[in-house]
Amino acid sequence: DMIFLIGGGNFGTMYLSSEIIRRTIIRKCKRNRIVMFPQSVAINNTFFDYLQMKKSSRIYSAHKHILLLAREKNSHEYMKNVFSANQIIMAPDIVLTKTNPGHREIHEIKKVMFCIRNDSESEISQEKVGIMREWFINRGYEIVDFDTETYGRITTEERPGVLNKTYRKFKSVDYVVTDRLHGMIISVVSGTPCMALDNSTKKISGLYDSIRRPEVMLFDERGDLDNQLKVFEELRTYNYSNTKYIDYFNQIFDNLAF
């Protein structure tokens, strides 16, 4: 039998409980083929983290039939260095295989969504976010606050509805400013121009470099804020095609040899 491990951004020590669960599955299921869906590395640079990832490396390397998918270049490089005994492939986030659902809302007032983290991965200052919000308000935009993080249990039956509601939310605005990786990805899938703000794990910039879409702008912390927002405002909505990413994953799984 084949086991698929969940993808996301919890590979490493920042979310150690998830890493411990992965270790347990990999250690106890040595006869199974295991595929880890695209993950980003989330670690802190301490000696404790170093020891924990060495432990993970020993457990992973003892399994002869495991495939690790890294969802952006920074995580790919890290996995190749630390988990060199395992097969590692860079693959984009699985959400990019989704279709572009529904129609874009037409509204008189221009809207910009702020989808900003409030946790240990957040790197941009609240002061700078406040300046951005004020910039849009002064130009007549309505501010929409939203978060792709959900709290509480969502059943299998509820998932399609929750996802479609989220897509519609992103399609109801003209622009998105976000430091969440899935905020950037859902912007891409929904065809909404996005300013992506990097976070502490650098997975935003890593994925940005991988997909390089003209409708997504990576915020430069060292650049002039006003000029960047003016350039961002010139971006327009667009139609998204998932064909490239579906073909990519089909090719990966058609050629599994481990």
Side-chain angles (χ1 to χ4, degrees), residues 20-78:
I20 290 172
I21 291 171
R22 265 190 301 273
R23 290 175 189 165
T24 303
I25 294 170
I26 292 168
R27 187 173 58 246
K28 291 188 174 182
C29 302
K30 292 185 176 181
R31 295 184 178 181
N32 299 86
R33 292 194 297 167
I34 298 177
V35 176
M36 182 183 76
F37 269 41
Q39 274 278 2
S40 290
V41 174
I43 58 171
N44 297 306
N45 294 318
T46 69
F47 187 61
F48 171 81
D49 296 272
Y50 169 78
L51 292 178
Q52 287 294 322
M53 295 315 289
K54 288 289 287 185
K55 183 176 182 179
S56 289
S57 178
R58 288 195 301 271
I59 293 170
Y60 284 45
S61 63
H63 198 295
K64 304 305 180 184
H65 305 288
I66 184 170
L67 172 63
L68 305 178
L69 300 181
R71 68 178 175 178
E72 28 74 23
K73 68 170 188 177
N74 296 328
S75 295
H76 186 238
E77 288 301 316
Y78 179 87

Side-chain angles (χ1 to χ4, degrees), residues 175-219:
Y175 301 94
V176 173
V177 178
T178 186
D179 62 351
R180 284 201 177 275
L181 185 136
H182 280 116
M184 178 173 72
I185 291 174
I186 295 173
S187 296
V188 170
V189 174
S190 66
T192 308
C194 173
M195 174 174 278
L197 318 173
D198 215 359
N199 64 8
S200 63
T201 66
K202 306 306 176 187
K203 59 189 175 187
I204 303 289
S205 56
L207 184 65
Y208 173 83
D209 285 341
S210 300
I211 62 177
R212 283 287 180 175
R213 296 192 63 88
E215 306 86 358
V216 179
M217 178 177 175
L218 184 65
F219 176 68

